Amino acid sequence: MDLEPLPKVTFLPKQLTELVIKGWTGETIDYMKNGQICKVYDGQGTCSFRDGHEYKGELKHGLLHGKGKFEWTDKTRYTGTFHENEITGTGRYDWPDGSTYTGKVLNGLRHGKGIYVNAKEGVEYEGEWQHGLRHGYGELKYRNGSIYQGQWERGMKWGQGKMTYASGNYYEGSWKDNKRNGHGVMHWLNTNEKYTGNWEDNFQSGFGTHIWLEANGDNKLLRNRYVGFWKQGLRHGKGTFYYSNGSKYEGDWCENYKHGHGLFTFEDGTEYDGPFEKDRMIERKITDSYSPDGTKARREVEQNPFKKLIDISDLIVFETNPQEVQKECQNILLRHNSELKQWYKIYARKVEQTKSEESFSMTLRQVWRFLRDCQIVSGQSSLAQFDRIYHRGKKNHFSLLGAEEINKFNQ
């Protein structure tokens, strides 16, 4: 229930003032209001209050108004502007513990832009305030070196903000109730990890991607990467884990374990599709399989791994015999696998220092350089021709239009 505002006071007679003030060193003047004359304190002076407080500064018609300094009995001090007996305007608070506030105030509360410093606790906040609480945009520095820069609401981190921790790790994204809530990105610089996705009460929760940005090596062609659902900071639900050696697991997770049904693709292209229990394949068979007619079948590991690891379907769709072309490409890749790995490693390292998710991928510019170095580009085959072939693939085409809209444009 809202209370009715008090009537505005524009003067205070000496008789009423003396109820709270026992001494005044300034002037006492006559003041006329509604045809009546009364005595009021006015001008520059010092007020000694009966409860021990003291004010030095300006009074107007018996009210604290203008510039002044107010000191409470507990040694708390305010120095700044007053308006009709209210601490309103711009000023500075000094508290007994050594903390200070300098900035805008309204009715005695921090309101507007201001700086709060507590040297004892090692805390400094510079930003916006509302009714005594941090509200709006502000920057908070902690004793240990951590810094928060972002939005506040009712004294709490709330909205978009960036928290840089003393370790150098930092989080950028949404906050609520002083905790990471909503969508955000966390960078762990000390372990070269990064998470992008949803958060709930400081934990990864919901859908997100976690990537390990460790340096590449002889057996690392990719980044370790998990894309899927989380619960309380653990992989939980449906998700896919891409391993640095090219292996992949896609399926159910429970508290960071592969648990439930999943499909594991090994680096050589072989697969296990079945139940998992705490990272263990329950029904994996390592014996040779047999065909229905009783003849011994080839082991899956002897199949060409590039049949499942490489997808060039969009590049061969315009060929006269795409299946033969794809088969020949897979055989070439298998035949020159060792050399291709070495070449790829050299060109991937050219962007490795960026430490990003794409560090093992070659940009189009790097591909151009690769084609030149391999002497594939010549008078008969230019980079422009390569670009045209590459961009013809369906993977490089997308539309914001639905099927019905596309048909309208094609008519």
Side-chain angles (χ1 to χ4, degrees), residues 69-102:
K69 176 182 177 181
F70 196 104
E71 183 170 338
W72 286 263
T73 54
D74 65 355
K75 302 305 180 183
T76 299
R77 294 191 310 276
Y78 170 78
T79 306
T81 57
F82 293 76
H83 183 77
E84 296 179 349
N85 256 14
E86 294 286 353
I87 298 176
T88 294
T90 303
R92 172 186 169 113
Y93 273 104
D94 289 87
W95 286 277
D97 62 358
S99 58
T100 64
Y101 170 79
T102 305

Side-chain angles (χ1 to χ4, degrees), residues 21 23-26 43-49 54-59:
I21 296 176
W24 165 245
T25 62
Q44 190 83 23
T46 299
C47 286
S48 298
F49 290 81
E54 184 180 82
Y55 171 78
K56 294 180 180 181
E58 297 176 273
L59 264 68

Side-chain angles (χ1 to χ4, degrees), residues 212-228:
W212 286 259
L213 299 171
E214 71 272 14
N216 62 354
D218 293 336
N219 296 320
K220 292 181 180 179
L221 300 179
L222 303 168
R223 303 293 191 193
N224 281 327
R225 178 166 53 104
Y226 172 77
V227 182

Side-chain angles (χ1 to χ4, degrees), residues 212-407:
W212 286 259
L213 299 171
E214 71 272 14
N216 62 354
D218 293 336
N219 296 320
K220 292 181 180 179
L221 300 179
L222 303 168
R223 303 293 191 193
N224 281 327
R225 178 166 53 104
Y226 172 77
V227 182
F229 287 89
W230 300 74
K231 183 179 180 181
Q232 290 293 302
L234 302 175
R235 295 185 287 276
H236 193 91
K238 296 289 184 181
T240 302
F241 199 107
Y242 300 87
Y243 294 87
S244 59
N245 64 356
S247 303
K248 180 179 75 171
Y249 170 79
E250 184 176 6
D252 297 322
W253 294 81
C254 182
E255 297 180 351
N256 261 7
Y257 289 106
K258 293 184 281 289
H259 193 87
H261 187 272
L263 172 64
F264 195 100
T265 304
F266 296 87
E267 58 181 309
D268 59 8
T270 59
E271 296 177 342
Y272 167 77
D273 189 353
F276 285 76
E277 184 177 323
K278 289 192 174 181
D279 283 343
R280 294 187 300 108
M281 302 175 192
I282 302 302
E283 298 178 358
R284 187 182 179 194
K285 297 179 181 179
I286 58 175
T287 56
D288 294 331
S289 58
Y290 289 84
S291 59
D293 60 2
T295 60
K296 189 174 181 179
R298 298 176 61 190
R299 284 190 179 187
E300 290 184 1
V301 294
E302 295 175 357
Q303 296 179 4
N304 188 335
F306 292 106
K307 289 183 178 180
K308 296 179 179 179
L309 296 178
I310 302 296
D311 180 13
I312 58 172
S313 57
D314 64 325
L315 298 178
I316 61 174
V317 67
F318 300 103
E319 298 289 339
T320 305
N321 193 339
Q323 291 182 344
E324 284 298 322
V325 173
Q326 181 167 343
K327 183 178 179 181
E328 186 61 28
C329 288
Q330 291 167 352
N331 290 335
I332 292 173
L333 291 172
L334 182 62
R335 192 179 309 128
H336 301 285
N337 186 33
S338 299
E339 294 89 339
L340 287 170
K341 280 185 176 181
Q342 283 297 118
W343 296 343
Y344 183 84
K345 189 184 301 182
I346 292 171
Y347 283 88
R349 278 183 181 148
K350 295 182 184 298
V351 290
E352 169 66 14
Q353 59 184 357
T354 61
K355 286 285 185 184
S356 67
E357 296 94 317
E358 298 79 23
S359 292
F360 288 105
S361 302
M362 295 169 68
T363 64
L364 189 57
R365 185 182 295 273
Q366 295 295 342
V367 174
W368 291 342
R369 184 169 179 177
F370 171 75
L371 295 175
R372 287 196 185 98
D373 292 349
C374 295
Q375 297 182 351
I376 295 176
V377 176
S378 63
Q380 288 77 30
S381 55
S382 64
L383 288 177
Q385 289 174 314
F386 166 79
D387 287 348
R388 280 196 295 271
I389 295 173
Y390 174 75
H391 288 293
R392 268 176 22 184
K394 60 183 180 181
K395 293 180 183 178
N396 294 302
H397 293 267
F398 67 92
S399 176
L400 298 178
L401 300 174
E404 294 183 1
E405 287 80 0
I406 292 175
N407 291 332

Side-chain angles (χ1 to χ4, degrees), residues 17-24 41 47-50 59 62 64:
T17 305
E18 288 177 340
L19 295 176
V20 292
I21 296 176
K22 67 178 181 179
W24 165 245
Y41 294 151
C47 286
S48 298
F49 290 81
R50 296 189 181 278
L59 264 68
L64 279 60

